[in-house]
Amino acid sequence: MTSTSPAAVPGAGSPGPEKSDPSFAPPVKDPQKELVGRSPGRLMWVRFKRDRTGVVSACIVLAFFLIAALAPVISWLYGKDPYTRYGEIRPGLLNENKYPIKPNGGIDGEFWFGLEPGLGRDVFTQLVYGIRTSLSLAVAITLLSVLTAIVIGVAGGYFGGRTDYLLGRLTDLMMSFPNQLFFIAFTPVVMALFVNPQDEMPTWMRACVLVYVMWLLGWMTLARLLRGQTLSLREREFVEAAKVAGTPPARIIRKELLPNLVTPILVQATYMLPNNVTAIAGLSFLGVGMLEPTPDWGRMFAKGAEVYQSDLTYMFFPGGAMVIFILAFNLLGDSVRDAFDPKTGR
């Protein structure tokens, strides 16, 4: 019986291709393969987290919403409110022309953003509550507009025929109105229907009128987009299979169409909300939105336009806050779109 040495066995003593071949490299993990088997929502979240711009924008937007939600708490911790006229009740804060005596609009350790010229109210709490007012109205308008667009757009695209014709003509009719001019002209008319022009309209009713007017003219663009998407989806195999199986139309829309319309709905909503914020501010700036003493972004702009020559600082804070919010929300919308559909490059 002969023993076999390691050298006699082919390849027994060789270092192997891993060690002998200098060009050998360990396999690199493919990130696309790691995403296989995950749900669409999970894939979107993974892609969104990789977008630093989107994450930062989301944090900024979330901070604005937290400020709006916690405005009473912030006011309590700060020790001031947006209604008290500190400059009038405390001497030494405003001069004889009703402007802050201290430089930079009266900014100091007590009044962080200074004092409002004329009435002497605290600018910081005015801004915090103004954010609360504008975002509350904008969120309500956006939700109502999205729901209306879903009902009209999806119904017209799915059922087609006479239903699509009637809903399409309604959408075209509403789109024929010039929005900004119609907001300015129609809002006082609607308000006059509820309250005598000689009487003062309650704040809650004025807010409801603003929401109603802006919702009435704010759903058409998304409705036309969803109609086009639905027309394409209703010819797909999974919808045809559901029809052949006898699935009711309501269930087909809820289970088959709406999940595939989440992307355009969510992306368009992220663009609609900041547009509604600017529209609300514009109406208040022109005097047909929220009025005194309700804190509002638009009224702060109107006040700043009156006093900018003597107190430029007052305009800086509402203007800077709105620019940051609008920019962050638009960047967030781009990031959400790219996360849902990575093939659409910026």
Side-chain angles (χ1 to χ4, degrees), residues 103-171:
N104 299 321
I107 297 176
D108 57 14
E110 183 180 5
F111 299 98
W112 294 353
F113 288 179
L115 294 170
E116 177 188 15
L119 300 179
R121 294 178 295 193
D122 180 71
V123 177
F124 176 73
T125 52
Q126 282 268 310
L127 180 60
V128 169
Y129 274 83
I131 294 173
R132 179 187 180 92
T133 301
S134 298
L135 289 187
S136 300
L137 295 176
V139 168
I141 295 167
T142 302
L143 289 177
L144 290 174
S145 300
V146 169
L147 291 176
T148 306
I150 290 174
V151 172
I152 294 179
V154 175
Y158 178 76
F159 292 105
R162 184 178 296 272
T163 301
D164 185 28
Y165 177 80
L166 295 176
L167 293 179
R169 300 296 75 76
L170 173 63
T171 304

Side-chain angles (χ1 to χ4, degrees), residues 20-209:
S20 60
D21 188 0
S23 63
F24 176 81
V28 180
K29 293 184 179 180
D30 187 359
Q32 296 297 329
K33 293 183 179 180
E34 295 180 357
L35 300 179
V36 176
R38 298 184 181 181
S39 63
R42 180 64 177 171
L43 293 176
M44 187 277 292
W45 176 243
V46 171
R47 286 192 291 262
F48 179 77
K49 288 193 299 183
R50 294 174 180 172
D51 189 345
R52 294 183 178 179
T53 302
V55 173
V56 173
S57 300
C59 293
I60 294 174
V61 170
L62 180 60
F64 271 91
F65 278 99
L66 288 177
I67 290 172
L70 300 176
V73 177
I74 295 174
S75 177
W76 175 72
L77 294 174
Y78 181 56
K80 296 176 180 61
D81 62 77
Y83 307 105
T84 302
R85 301 180 178 184
Y86 298 99
E88 294 183 353
I89 63 177
R90 290 173 51 182
L93 295 178
L94 300 179
N95 58 23
E96 62 276 5
N97 296 322
K98 299 297 183 180
Y99 287 99
I101 294 177
K102 294 183 178 181
N104 299 321
I107 297 176
D108 57 14
E110 183 180 5
F111 299 98
W112 294 353
F113 288 179
L115 294 170
E116 177 188 15
L119 300 179
R121 294 178 295 193
D122 180 71
V123 177
F124 176 73
T125 52
Q126 282 268 310
L127 180 60
V128 169
Y129 274 83
I131 294 173
R132 179 187 180 92
T133 301
S134 298
L135 289 187
S136 300
L137 295 176
V139 168
I141 295 167
T142 302
L143 289 177
L144 290 174
S145 300
V146 169
L147 291 176
T148 306
I150 290 174
V151 172
I152 294 179
V154 175
Y158 178 76
F159 292 105
R162 184 178 296 272
T163 301
D164 185 28
Y165 177 80
L166 295 176
L167 293 179
R169 300 296 75 76
L170 173 63
T171 304
D172 294 337
L173 174 64
M174 299 305 295
M175 292 188 72
S176 65
F177 292 102
N179 287 6
Q180 298 297 332
L181 294 178
F182 201 75
F183 289 157
I184 300 171
F186 193 59
T187 302
V189 175
V190 175
M191 292 180 179
L193 296 176
F194 296 97
V195 178
N196 192 310
Q198 283 73 32
D199 298 332
E200 184 178 356
M201 176 176 287
T203 301
W204 67 267
M205 184 176 293
R206 181 175 290 272
C208 291
V209 171

